[in-house]
Amino acid sequence: MKHEKASKPAAKRSKTSNRSANFEVRKTKGGETHQQAEPSQLPITTNQGLQIADNQNSLKAGERGPTLLEDFIVREKITHFDHERIPERIVHARGSAAHGYFQAYGSLKKYTKAAFLNDPKVKTPVFARFSTVAGERGSADLARDVRGFAVKFYTSEGNFDLVGNNIPVFFIQDAIKFPDLIHSVKIEPDRGFPQAASAHDTFWDFISLMPESMHMIMWVMSDRAIPRSLRMMEGFGIHTFRLVNEAGKTHFVKWHWRPKLGNSSVLWDEAVKINGADSDFHRKDLWEAIDGGDFPEWELGLQIFDQETADRFEFDVLDATKIIPEEFVPLQMVGKMVLDRNPDNFFAETEQVAFCPSHLVPGLDFSEDPLLQGRLFSYLDTQLSRLGGPNFHQLPVNAPKCPFHNLQRDGIHQMSLQKGRVSYEPNSLDAEAPRESLDHGFQSATRPVSGATVRVRSESFNDHYSQARLFYKSITAPEQKHLANALTFELGKLETEAIRLRMLGHLQLIDRELADTVSEHLGVEGKAEQITPAKAPVDLESSPALRLYGKTKPTLEGRKVGILLGSGFDDQLKRELATQIESEGAKVAMITEKIQGEMDADGKLHAADMALRAAPSVLFDAVVILAGPEGDKKLAADPNAQAFLTDARRHCKAVGFSGIPLLAKKVGVIEEPGIMDLTGKGGVKNFIVAGKTGRFWEREEEK
Ligand code: HDE
């Protein structure tokens, strides 16, 4: 088996060339094209190494006769094709991934002996996969959903998989409920819909009967569930884990990833339209950023605390439906992750990567969180059927980059040639056979465990509403509004009234105002079911860290600005804009009515990146419309240009014009915050400031 060597750094990679130019092209009697390999090129072969002379025709009995069973070449090719797919992941099937590295800022020796967290000189290779949960492999990227955030660290001491999400809590407290949760959210089993959507009866039926999911529901209905980019979302390990130092002393830890580009999300109306205009929006965005040398980066922040601190919390640190507010235990930034290389092959890497929370290294350990405990079993188990056997760790993307050797043998898809007669331990026949290593080997942290075997939920897990309320109270006003609208959409889609009313009962316990708003939007005021909580919620001190917006400084970095050009536009202004935008680290796309491009005021043709019909403004973070009087007239009469501006305005984005054009008047845009004339003094500069601000929520029309 021959492996291709790793590809060049993304930024330097050449574009796909027209290979056919290098082949001798021959046509046969039937007219089909044969590309003959030159001596320097690889001949196409069967999987047995046999060179193939004709890759266009199967073997037939007579020129127009039936294909012969004897044709082993066509059978091998089609058989392989027939088996190209493997089962998709039961959850997180839709994903996008990249290679990169993790680098610690300093030493964390005080808390952990894990080597990758202790040496700032070491760059630990990583492979990170981001995913949606509910949708199938081909589903659209902008579904309202949790995003998976899984990172495989190929450390010098073995692989560590931090398999997290972009939301710091989870729906359920005990792994035994996971199949129920997932069955409720996925397509309904009789009808096969809805795809990648939680807005249906079975999901809300389950949720409304699971009060422990209320905190997570607040997050999933918030803008966090429709991120602008995978590069602009936070990541969380969720569960409490343990750090173990050289002396064996343990601390608790929660893992956080903070994106360098800041958090950014889209509006629901944009998400719906992006899914139609470009259903691979997130996958493409990640790929293009890395391919263009804009390497996404996250900082790793840890909340480290001891048992005494844990005992002081009102809630249980083993309960995955709870956060530890950063105001109580601040994040220590301990390193950064940079993703700088796209996969060479989507299937071999993104599809076949196998994450398991049970993949740990010395210096780390689990906690007794009953959700985590179930995960420690599930992931290894699922890989066995997904990847077809117990040797999936030998696939290049899964194999540790440090040496590994043991006495496990054989199994389906065994790739290594395991030599010698000794495959057991202890043994005295092979002095070189692998042995235990007491000094460096993994040691589980010693922790006191006692009690009778019981199937109960600890009472310390009982408060299902206080942190849901904390979240709602802590986010900004626009986020609260979007959350209420999301709930209205989701509950509005339900066929069963009783489920809707049950959910409203839960909302009343979370926040009265939220419940009233949603009830009013739905037109079911006063009908909410009365729910008696296991434990009455309390008001907690607000936590600004839970906000999506306003946490990082305004930036255009990593964003994309769409410039719509109408004929007779000012070339000078176009150039100045493009230069300024790009100097902020953003990308510019030139959009014209037709893909050939557009004429400037001097009659010079400028190339376009996208045609207007394929470039709705939902694909951009800010937009500009530049046109001379004739071009403006044309745009004003074009429904696609009208929609371009109407949407940019509705979605509260920065908008720049040359003058106050007819198009703006047609759409009814006069003077609004974030919408500006670029021709005056400082026009471009003002636009950049507006673009960095991002959204002008005061313009939002929806109630
Ligand atoms: Fe997963 N989860 N999960 N999960 N999960 C899987 O493993 C499971 C949970 C998460 O990009 C599966 O390889 C159980 C929490 C991510 O390949 C499966 C429970 C969190 C990914 C599985 C949970 C996650 C998965 C399906 C409840 C956030 C995608 C395919 C006890 C901390 C990883 C696979 C990738 C994937 C089981 C709950 C994150 C079936 C039983 C909580 C990011 O093993």
Side-chain angles (χ1 to χ4, degrees):
M1 198 172 57
K2 187 168 175 273
H3 293 295
E4 296 294 327
K5 55 180 189 318
S7 66
K8 288 177 276 177
K12 289 190 200 138
R13 195 176 308 171
S14 64
K15 294 271 173 262
T16 318
S17 63
N18 183 358
R19 297 278 304 261
S20 66
N22 303 327
F23 288 79
E24 185 192 332
V25 177
R26 273 209 224 140
K27 290 211 168 177
T28 63
K29 183 162 95 156
E32 77 276 8
T33 303
H34 288 260
Q35 296 180 322
Q36 293 272 29
E38 287 175 358
S40 63
Q41 291 174 319
L42 294 176
I44 191 166
T45 73
T46 66
N47 287 333
Q48 305 307 313
L50 177 73
Q51 295 195 13
I52 294 175
D54 183 340
N55 193 31
Q56 319 303 321
N57 300 297
S58 46
L59 187 67
K60 299 180 197 80
E63 221 174 83
R64 299 179 56 247
T67 302
L68 296 175
L69 189 59
E70 181 191 320
D71 189 351
F72 63 96
I73 294 181
V74 80
R75 274 192 289 118
E76 185 203 78
K77 182 174 179 182
I78 291 182
T79 305
H80 194 277
F81 169 77
D82 290 344
H83 298 269
E84 273 178 12
R85 293 288 169 274
I86 58 171
E88 67 173 31
R89 289 165 172 82
I90 169 69
V91 279
H92 297 266
R94 168 88 186 165
S96 307
H99 295 273
Y101 64 87
F102 171 80
Q103 196 166 16
Y105 291 151
S107 170
L108 264 189
K109 273 206 164 47
K110 187 171 158 207
Y111 299 110
T112 175
K113 59 184 174 188
F116 79 103
L117 288 171
N118 274 314
D119 188 349
K121 290 193 290 300
V122 173
K123 283 186 176 179
T124 301
V126 298
F127 188 69
R129 183 175 181 272
F130 308 100
S131 47
T132 50
V133 177
E136 292 168 5
R137 191 150 49 192
S139 54
D141 276 344
L142 263 291
R144 172 174 294 285
D145 202 351
V146 184
R147 297 299 182 287
F149 194 126
V151 181
K152 190 180 280 295
F153 296 77
Y154 304 90
T155 87
S156 58
E157 300 171 310
N159 288 352
F160 164 50
D161 293 352
L162 182 56
V163 197
N165 282 344
N166 75 329
I167 287 176
V169 286
F170 203 64
F171 294 97
I172 48 170
Q173 297 171 323
D174 190 309
I176 199 168
K177 297 313 296 168
F178 192 65
D180 300 302
L181 166 73
I182 298 305
H183 287 170
S184 80
V185 72
K186 288 215 119 173
I187 52 168
E188 296 189 15
D190 54 351
R191 58 209 69 187
F193 59 82
Q195 180 58 249
S198 51
H200 58 121
D201 284 33
T202 57
F203 176 69
W204 287 101
D205 184 26
F206 177 77
I207 291 298
S208 64
L209 297 169
M210 294 290 288
E212 70 200 55
S213 63
M214 290 309 141
H215 186 195
M216 178 71 167
I217 284 299
M218 290 292 102
W219 287 81
V220 177
M221 292 299 116
S222 80
D223 292 346
R224 300 249 179 187
I226 36 176
R228 150 69 179 87
S229 161
L230 303 171
R231 301 174 291 137
M232 298 170 199
M233 60 182 203
E234 293 177 354
F236 304 91
I238 303 186
H239 315 279
T240 299
F241 288 84
R242 282 186 166 88
L243 297 177
V244 188
N245 69 13
E246 201 61 64
K249 187 166 165 40
T250 67
H251 280 84
F252 290 124
V253 65
K254 292 247 187 202
W255 303 79
H256 299 243
W257 292 109
R258 284 280 151 89
K260 189 177 157 225
L261 296 176
N263 289 317
S264 209
S265 281
V266 298
L267 290 166
W268 178 240
D269 185 64
E270 282 174 284
V272 169
K273 290 172 177 163
I274 292 171
N275 276 339
D278 188 353
S279 60
D280 302 305
F281 188 69
H282 282 158
R283 181 175 288 178
K284 205 154 103 187
D285 168 270
L286 181 69
W287 176 276
E288 287 178 351
I290 296 175
D291 204 43
D294 288 337
F295 302 140
E297 205 173 307
W298 285 261
E299 275 200 299
L300 179 66
L302 302 185
Q303 281 181 298
I304 303 175
F305 55 99
D306 56 16
Q307 185 69 53
E308 247 173 49
T309 314
D311 293 341
R312 283 208 300 272
F313 296 133
E314 297 278 318
F315 54 87
D316 199 321
V317 297
L318 302 182
D319 173 358
T321 68
K322 304 295 183 297
I323 55 152
I324 300 179
E326 285 173 41
E327 289 74 10
F328 289 107
V329 181
L331 261 59
Q332 295 186 37
M333 293 311 188
V334 301
K336 65 170 182 182
M337 172 171 76
V338 179
L339 298 181
D340 59 2
R341 184 162 64 86
N342 280 317
D344 288 312
N345 183 283
F346 184 88
F347 178 81
E349 301 179 279
T350 311
E351 193 61 13
Q352 293 201 112
V353 64
F355 294 96
C356 299
S358 52
H359 293 167
L360 270 198
V361 291
L364 307 179
D365 211 342
F366 312 118
S367 72
E368 296 73 28
D369 173 344
L371 192 67
L372 173 61
Q373 294 281 321
R375 296 180 72 205
L376 301 181
F377 159 74
S378 172
Y379 289 65
L380 180 56
D381 180 50
T382 209
Q383 312 307 349
L384 297 180
S385 59
R386 198 170 72 80
L387 297 170
N391 290 313
F392 62 86
H393 63 281
Q394 296 180 11
L395 294 166
V397 72
N398 293 324
K401 295 195 194 297
C402 64
F404 61 103
H405 13 66
N406 55 43
L407 300 158
Q408 295 167 24
R409 287 291 181 271
D410 310 341
I412 202 158
H413 304 147
Q414 177 58 257
M415 294 294 164
S416 68
L417 207 165
Q418 301 171 316
K419 295 185 181 165
R421 63 197 285 217
V422 168
S423 56
Y424 55 90
E425 192 275 340
N427 68 73
S428 62
L429 293 182
D430 183 356
E432 287 178 3
R435 311 278 150 150
E436 298 157 337
S437 79
L438 248 185
D439 293 344
H440 302 291
F442 180 82
Q443 310 253 15
S444 290
T446 42
R447 41 190 209 248
V449 178
S450 67
T453 46
V454 283
R455 272 188 199 277
V456 292
R457 194 73 57 87
S458 165
E459 268 197 37
S460 54
F461 283 39
N462 268 0
D463 181 355
H464 305 315
Y465 301 97
S466 300
Q467 286 210 352
R469 180 181 294 175
L470 166 73
F471 177 77
Y472 183 72
K473 290 281 188 210
S474 300
I475 59 180
T476 59
E479 290 173 76
Q480 287 180 335
K481 182 155 74 172
H482 303 157
L483 195 156
N485 288 342
L487 281 164
T488 307
F489 172 84
E490 299 265 325
L491 301 182
K493 279 197 106 179
L494 302 183
E495 291 165 8
T496 312
E497 178 81 343
I499 302 175
R500 204 172 0 251
L501 302 183
R502 206 182 300 141
M503 265 318 297
L504 287 167
H506 291 295
L507 294 184
Q508 284 188 336
L509 290 169
I510 296 170
D511 185 85
R512 194 76 216 194
E513 208 181 275
L514 171 66
D516 288 350
T517 310
V518 178
S519 300
E520 194 207 318
H521 285 178
L522 291 168
V524 291
E525 295 96 324
K527 291 197 190 156
E529 188 182 319
Q530 287 306 310
I531 308 254
T532 312
K535 190 169 175 196
V538 294
D539 287 321
L540 302 168
E541 209 168 302
S542 151
S543 169
L546 300 179
R547 288 177 192 161
L548 191 51
Y549 296 114
K551 276 165 60 167
T552 38
K553 65 175 190 334
T555 181
L556 255 181
E557 201 183 338
R559 272 66 174 178
K560 198 166 183 182
V561 180
I563 303 186
L564 174 59
L565 301 173
S567 72
F569 64 87
D570 177 350
D571 176 31
Q572 182 69 30
L573 187 54
K574 176 195 149 191
R575 263 193 256 199
E576 192 186 338
L577 263 168
T579 312
Q580 292 291 326
I581 293 167
E582 279 164 2
S583 72
E584 296 291 334
K587 292 265 181 292
V588 178
M590 295 297 167
I591 305 154
T592 56
E593 195 201 342
K594 299 196 175 144
I595 195 65
Q596 294 95 311
E598 194 52 270
M599 303 276 196
D600 65 17
D602 299 327
K604 199 176 116 213
L605 185 70
H606 289 242
D609 298 307
M610 300 169 93
L612 177 56
R613 279 171 215 233
S617 60
V618 291
L619 301 182
F620 309 102
D621 298 280
V623 301
V624 173
I625 298 163
L626 297 183
E630 270 313 299
D632 179 27
K633 219 176 194 171
K634 241 175 119 192
L635 288 179
D638 181 343
N640 294 304
Q642 291 167 15
F644 186 86
L645 178 56
T646 306
D647 269 356
R649 178 203 195 186
R650 178 175 177 195
H651 301 143
C652 311
K653 292 172 181 171
V655 180
F657 289 119
S658 45
I660 298 289
L662 282 178
L663 174 63
K665 289 196 192 116
K666 177 95 186 180
V667 170
V669 177
I670 311 291
E671 268 189 29
E672 294 175 36
I675 300 188
M676 65 206 62
D677 177 5
L678 303 174
T679 51
K681 194 163 166 266
V684 173
K685 212 170 127 213
N686 291 342
F687 176 75
I688 298 290
V689 174
K692 283 169 133 176
T693 306
R695 308 278 183 151
F696 292 81
W697 297 122
E698 57 272 46
R699 289 204 328 247
E700 201 169 13
E701 287 160 6
E702 255 104 341
K703 277 202 287 163

